[in-house]
Amino acid sequence: MKYFIVTYGCQMNVHESEKIAGILEKLGYTQADTRETADIIVFNTCAIREGAEDRVFGNVGNLKKLKKNNKDLIIAVCGCMTQKEQTAQKLMNTFPFIDIVIGTFNLPKLGYYIEAVKKGRQLELFDEGEIDETLPYKRTSGDNAWVNIMQGCNNFCTYCIVPYVRGREKSRKEENILKEIKEIVAEGKYKKITLLGQNVNSYGKDLNPQITFAKLLRDICLIEGNFTLSFMTSHPKDLTDDVIQTIAEEDKIEKFIHLPAQSGNNRILKLMNRSYTREKYLDIIKKIREKMPNCRITSDFIVGFPTETEEEFNDTCDLVKQVGYDSIFAFKYSPREGTVASKMEDQIPEEVKGERVNKLLALEKKLQKENKK
Ligand code: 5AD
Ligand code: SF4
């Protein structure tokens, strides 16, 4: 019996697919080279922007033929898209050949749902539970090992679907993280360890007793072995002096910070509920550069947030110039149902968003060229 996994979205999803692979291998499946030769195909989906969802609809639709040729083929869809009830129902209704649709919190029970398929289609959502510590990962990212340290997000940035599909912040216990990393290091196959979380630097706030992200970093660095450590994604509001100092001091920590600014304009930042100002963000950048002149810094930006004027967009361009990032990701704002921003008046027309994203990316390219020179 063979499996094929199709992954969309961020590194968290890539890592979660390693768990799906672990679950399937435990059930006796092995990896298929192609969809055509698989007995089960799993789509691990992303809901962050409309484009990601459209791709899933297109690609799941393409499986109709495969299912026709092989009646026993199991098709499962999981991940952020399926945690939204309406989208999950739409998937089920549009594609009668899908066997399993499960939300993000039900993933550990994938094996149970595969067994249950014999009795009929499976649809299961909204079962927010504890972080699973029992199921194995099948690591697939070469000499890099992903380690999830927390899930969920409490920030409710007004454009973002994550808090709705991943729930509130839940940190793993430090002892479990350290144990996992010791095992990874002992295997001797991995040179790099990347800590993952929607908001890694608020790690530990929900634990009792609380522990800081900086302390976790220091404790990981005490593990003997030859590895480098990095992490993503950091929220500017939680990037404390203590964390910056720790990155600077610890040789094992890579001098790299992905620090999404999202906008360079204070009115838009406020509307986004980012809880920092442009000045505060620049202050953090200054602190990083003072302690680590060679630290690589990257960022995400959203253009065309509701009500954003041309001048406010220019503030974003200006911030990009001022910081001189190593690279940036720029996205057109995509309204996500259920979020505060999707209900705001004065949504920006698609053409304007397109123009702004192109302008920002062109600026980035120009800056990179100058940088290289
Ligand atoms: N529209 C566009 N981009 C978004 N992001 C998150 N939500 C949206 C949205 N609704 C971007 C942010 C985030 C990155 C992972 O995706 O820039 O940092
Ligand atoms: Fe979304 Fe904001 Fe949480 Fe990041 S910090 S996952 S952008 S709500």
Side-chain angles (χ1 to χ4, degrees):
M1 300 287 271
K2 290 195 178 279
Y3 69 86
F4 193 85
I5 303 170
V6 188
T7 309
Y8 298 86
C10 64
Q11 280 84 2
M12 298 275 283
N13 257 22
V14 173
H15 186 39
E16 211 151 71
S17 287
E18 295 182 335
K19 179 159 268 187
I20 297 172
I23 294 172
L24 292 171
E25 298 214 346
K26 218 174 151 194
L27 291 173
Y29 286 86
T30 54
Q31 198 177 352
D33 295 329
T34 61
R35 294 166 206 222
E36 286 72 24
T37 54
D39 299 286
I40 179 165
I41 301 176
V42 183
F43 277 78
N44 191 10
T45 63
C46 169
I48 199 96
R49 281 171 292 275
E50 201 178 341
E53 294 199 352
D54 290 346
R55 276 200 297 282
V56 170
F57 270 95
N59 287 326
V60 173
N62 289 340
L63 296 183
K64 193 175 174 185
K65 240 202 246 144
L66 282 184
K67 186 80 178 189
K68 229 179 176 172
N69 296 341
N70 176 6
K71 289 270 179 301
D72 294 328
L73 172 67
I74 296 175
I75 296 173
V77 189
C78 62
C80 290
M81 244 173 107
T82 52
Q83 186 60 38
K84 296 188 293 169
E85 190 173 12
Q86 270 184 345
T87 318
Q89 289 292 357
K90 192 174 158 197
L91 274 163
M92 283 299 232
N93 297 340
T94 317
F95 307 118
F97 53 83
I98 296 180
D99 300 287
I100 303 172
V101 173
I102 52 174
T104 48
F105 300 108
N106 300 83
L107 186 61
K109 291 191 271 174
L110 178 63
Y112 162 79
Y113 294 114
I114 292 173
E115 270 304 301
V117 158
K118 290 170 202 143
K119 294 189 205 123
R121 300 175 88 193
Q122 299 294 312
L123 173 67
E124 201 71 59
L125 312 166
F126 308 121
D127 195 10
E128 187 163 352
E130 292 308 303
I131 297 183
D132 175 77
E133 292 286 350
T134 59
L135 293 163
Y137 286 101
K138 180 179 186 254
R139 299 192 184 276
T140 54
S141 296
D143 62 6
N144 172 63
W146 308 109
V147 174
N148 182 261
I149 62 166
M150 62 182 305
Q151 65 186 28
C153 183
N154 292 351
N155 291 326
F156 287 92
C157 300
T158 53
Y159 50 80
C160 187
I161 194 74
V162 166
Y164 303 91
V165 292
R166 292 281 169 177
R168 297 298 75 74
E169 285 174 7
K170 267 199 200 101
S171 303
R172 286 176 69 196
K173 284 193 188 129
E174 193 197 27
E175 62 197 72
N176 291 338
I177 297 169
L178 294 177
K179 182 169 167 270
E180 182 179 345
I181 295 179
K182 278 179 195 155
E183 283 165 9
I184 289 168
V185 173
E187 265 193 74
K189 282 199 291 195
Y190 305 100
K191 288 203 187 85
K192 194 174 159 187
I193 289 168
T194 309
L195 309 180
L196 293 178
Q198 241 82 41
N199 193 7
V200 278
N201 46 359
S202 80
Y203 172 79
K205 284 184 187 161
D206 58 315
L207 291 175
N208 187 13
Q210 284 192 344
I211 151 172
T212 63
F213 181 55
K215 167 88 167 71
L216 174 71
L217 288 176
R218 288 190 190 274
D219 288 344
I220 295 172
C221 290
L222 288 175
I223 296 175
E224 272 181 44
N226 212 353
F227 64 91
T228 57
L229 184 64
S230 61
F231 52 85
M232 63 176 62
T233 291
S234 305
H235 193 300
K237 84 173 166 48
D238 296 312
L239 197 73
T240 57
D241 293 353
D242 197 14
V243 172
I244 297 173
Q245 185 68 26
T246 307
I247 302 168
E249 278 174 13
E250 294 287 351
D251 290 341
K252 281 187 170 125
I253 303 181
E254 207 182 321
K255 308 306 172 222
F256 162 64
I257 304 179
H258 182 57
L259 198 64
Q262 311 298 0
S263 167
N265 175 270
N266 282 339
R267 191 185 71 87
I268 295 293
L269 284 171
K270 193 151 190 215
L271 276 183
M272 287 177 163
N273 191 29
R274 289 292 287 177
S275 49
Y276 54 84
T277 57
R278 174 191 176 101
E279 292 72 29
K280 175 90 199 339
Y281 183 88
L282 284 169
D283 193 43
I284 299 168
I285 298 288
K286 192 166 152 235
K287 280 184 191 160
I288 297 171
R289 294 247 156 94
E290 270 167 13
K291 296 258 184 243
M292 297 171 277
N294 292 327
C295 186
R296 284 186 301 125
I297 303 176
T298 59
S299 184
D300 295 342
F301 289 93
I302 297 176
V303 304
F305 186 82
T307 74
E308 184 189 63
T309 64
E310 201 63 28
E311 269 156 30
E312 289 166 338
F313 164 69
N314 285 335
D315 285 342
T316 295
C317 296
D318 184 69
L319 181 80
V320 169
K321 276 188 223 156
Q322 204 171 334
V323 173
Y325 290 104
D326 288 84
S327 69
I328 62 162
F329 295 96
F331 305 106
K332 289 190 285 182
Y333 166 71
S334 170
R336 307 284 63 215
E337 212 179 327
T339 59
V340 172
S342 70
K343 297 180 202 99
M344 287 177 183
E345 283 177 19
D346 291 328
Q347 298 277 330
I348 305 297
E350 254 333 279
E351 321 81 84
V352 178
K353 288 189 220 171
E355 280 166 21
R356 289 184 189 167
V357 87
N358 288 340
K359 263 192 210 164
L360 188 56
L361 290 171
L363 170 68
E364 158 71 0
K365 218 169 159 187
K366 186 172 147 239
L367 292 172
Q368 295 254 341
K369 230 175 168 179
E370 286 172 8
N371 231 346
K372 270 195 192 129
K373 255 192 212 162

